[in-house]
Amino acid sequence: MTSLPEDSLPLIGEDDRDTAVQRLQEAYAEGLISHEELDERLHQVLTAKAHSRLVSALASLPEERPGTTSTIAAASGRIQRRGAWRVPRILKVESAYGRARLDLSRAIIEHPVIDIELQLGTGGARITVPRDAVVDVGGLRTQWKDLRYKVPRRPRSGGPTIRILGTMGFGRLKIRHARR
């Protein structure tokens, strides 16, 4: 049996390409690949026309660990996490009408980069991050109220990077660093 030429294979979907890019970025953030290797593999993924090119770009990466994504969802009411809770690599928080309160100051954080994806309708959110955390809010879209986050005057190093992503409807997001 002969194999099909690469040109006759179905085109790669944007979801497949985005997933491959995300896996490479996570591998780089976890120190599994170097900056140069990240550049090479990203170029390979972004210019790939066949799935075999995507597979080869991700070949030496370890399999995604189960349990690295968790979703907390509520139609209404309050979503709250505080104390010594284990923070997954990707935390999705979804609510149509409720508020979300996440306190990461005493949480068990095992990953150098944490993505918190907010999908909130009318409720607001308050997130307390560790003192030494770096916060990136570039992936968050707010539709009604602005974000309240004051970058610390003397940032500490060595903590996790917390990336806040997603969409907020009519609520406000307040982010603060823990005092202790």
Side-chain angles (χ1 to χ4, degrees):
M1 182 171 171
T2 60
S3 64
L4 295 171
E6 200 172 284
D7 294 340
S8 67
L9 293 174
L11 295 176
I12 297 171
E14 285 303 310
D15 288 342
D16 293 334
R17 198 178 306 274
D18 290 345
T19 300
V21 167
Q22 184 176 1
R23 288 225 25 230
L24 288 172
Q25 289 171 335
E26 289 173 4
Y28 174 71
E30 293 175 11
L32 300 174
I33 58 175
S34 69
H35 182 73
E36 294 79 19
E37 194 172 355
L38 173 68
D39 285 343
E40 290 172 18
R41 289 180 184 217
L42 281 175
H43 178 73
Q44 186 176 352
V45 165
L46 295 173
T47 59
K49 294 196 184 341
H51 282 278
S52 60
R53 295 282 290 165
L54 284 182
V55 171
S56 67
L58 303 174
S60 66
L61 297 180
E63 291 296 316
E64 288 187 283
R65 294 181 298 218
T68 59
T69 301
S70 182
T71 301
I72 305 169
S76 63
R78 185 185 325 199
I79 295 172
Q80 184 167 313
R81 295 291 182 272
R82 64 180 186 189
W85 60 289
R86 188 172 307 275
V87 181
R89 164 67 186 84
I90 301 169
L91 177 63
K92 296 181 180 186
V93 179
E94 302 170 356
S95 178
Y97 301 104
R99 295 180 296 170
R101 304 289 185 256
L102 303 175
D103 186 348
L104 284 70
S105 62
R106 294 186 200 149
I108 301 164
I109 300 176
E110 300 172 326
H111 307 280
V113 178
I114 302 293
D115 288 337
I116 299 176
E117 184 179 322
L118 301 174
Q119 297 298 328
L120 302 176
T122 60
R126 184 173 62 214
I127 301 174
T128 303
V129 299
R131 288 179 73 181
D132 56 354
V134 174
V135 178
D136 176 9
V137 292
L140 181 71
R141 290 179 299 160
T142 58
Q143 296 177 357
W144 186 255
K145 294 186 177 181
D146 292 332
L147 164 76
R148 284 198 181 163
Y149 173 59
K150 186 174 161 184
V151 178
R153 282 185 233 159
R154 290 176 268 155
R156 298 172 183 251
S157 62
T161 299
I162 313 270
R163 295 188 299 207
I164 311 292
L165 315 159
T167 305
M168 293 194 62
F170 294 100
R172 171 173 279 145
L173 173 62
K174 297 177 185 177
I175 302 172
R176 71 177 188 92
H177 288 266
R179 296 176 197 224
R180 53 183 166 105

